[in-house]
Amino acid sequence: TGPLSASDADGNGVLSQDEFVVFTDLVSGGWLSDMGVADSFQDMPLVLQEANVVLTCLCELYSTEPWGQPGCCDNTATSGIRTNGSGPDEKPDTVQLEYLTYVCGTMS
């Protein structure tokens, strides 16, 4: 989970599209940079853009969490991939661990 937390440049607990590019480049070992497509979200391969949409909208499945409710993936400043529990000094709770496992598993 280190790359997820490290990619959250503004520290708001949510990866924006630009931060998702950084995260993807980190977990791919620099593949986006090597391919010359690490400059913007729009430059990424469509399959990775789609992965971002799916992961951003996972919040819809967590309606009992404060951050999860219908309409939570509306492309606003508060929508995106959650990073809570992914920091080097954080121990994720059960829900965070489930969520982070899905995010990281999808991106591996």
Side-chain angles (χ1 to χ4, degrees):
T1 57
L4 188 60
S5 177
S7 300
D8 186 16
D10 60 10
N12 71 345
V14 178
L15 291 189
S16 66
Q17 288 182 344
D18 290 337
E19 292 168 333
F20 179 72
V21 174
V22 173
F23 171 64
T24 304
D25 200 41
L26 286 172
V27 299
S28 70
W31 182 81
L32 291 177
S33 293
D34 292 346
M35 298 302 294
V37 293
D39 292 331
S40 77
F41 182 79
Q42 303 303 328
D43 290 340
M44 294 176 75
L46 184 58
V47 67
L48 293 173
Q49 293 179 35
E50 290 172 358
N52 180 67
V53 171
V54 169
L55 295 174
T56 294
C57 291
L58 278 178
C59 59
E60 298 265 354
L61 302 176
Y62 291 91
S63 59
T64 59
E65 296 298 310
W67 48 267
Q69 68 278 338
C72 62
C73 60
D74 57 4
N75 202 27
T76 63
T78 58
S79 69
I81 299 169
R82 303 286 165 180
T83 64
N84 303 58
S86 69
D89 297 324
E90 295 180 83
K91 181 171 173 49
D93 63 28
T94 303
V95 171
Q96 290 169 337
L97 184 60
E98 175 185 280
Y99 177 86
L100 294 170
T101 299
Y102 188 88
V103 169
C104 294
T106 298
M107 295 305 294
S108 64

